[in-house]
Amino acid sequence: GWSLRHPAIGGSGQTLASGGATGGTLLGSTIPFPATREDREATGDPRRSIEERYASRDSYLDQIRQAAQQLVNQDYLLPEDLDRVMHQASEHYDELRRRVRQTQAADN
């Protein structure tokens, strides 16, 4: 991803970069998926929410495992990095679930 400059700071439509003699590198950004369907509908976000995308932790991790294995098969990822990818994915899922629980608790 990349971050576009806001019109208020000038350079509307240009990408933000870290600077440097060659212009630097692009600065990445992330717009997280909504935590719940209700969040998605309330904000008008067209993307499916976390709870709509993944039926369970195992389902999420299975999708990650399949994608990572494809990358290994295509020589884009080293086999010895699979365990690290899976560990990071499990931590990421746990963080996503915390967001869902926090959103649900706020709705009570």
Side-chain angles (χ1 to χ4, degrees), residues 63-77:
Q63 291 179 47
I64 297 294
R65 188 176 296 106
Q66 289 177 31
Q69 187 59 56
Q70 286 180 339
L71 293 174
V72 168
N73 295 346
Q74 297 169 349
D75 295 326
Y76 289 111
L77 184 66

Side-chain angles (χ1 to χ4, degrees), residues 1 3 5-7 18 21-22 40 42 46 55 62-63 72-73 77 82 86 88 91 95 98 101 103 106:
S3 299
R5 293 174 60 99
H6 190 276
S18 62
T22 61
R40 175 177 60 77
D62 186 52
Q63 291 179 47
V72 168
N73 295 346
L77 184 66
L82 277 175
M86 294 309 300
Q88 289 173 340
E91 288 182 343
E95 178 59 32
R98 275 191 286 280
R101 283 192 298 274
T103 299

Side-chain angles (χ1 to χ4, degrees), residues 6-73:
H6 190 276
I9 63 171
S12 178
Q14 296 176 358
T15 54
L16 288 171
S18 62
T22 61
T25 57
L26 296 177
L27 299 175
S29 61
T30 299
I31 301 172
F33 294 124
T36 64
R37 180 179 53 81
E38 291 79 16
D39 290 343
R40 175 177 60 77
E41 291 172 349
T43 61
D45 194 325
R47 303 168 304 156
R48 289 183 300 151
S49 69
I50 298 301
E51 71 177 9
E52 293 172 303
R53 289 172 179 272
Y54 309 111
S56 67
R57 187 176 197 270
D58 288 341
S59 172
Y60 172 79
L61 292 176
D62 186 52
Q63 291 179 47
I64 297 294
R65 188 176 296 106
Q66 289 177 31
Q69 187 59 56
Q70 286 180 339
L71 293 174
V72 168
N73 295 346

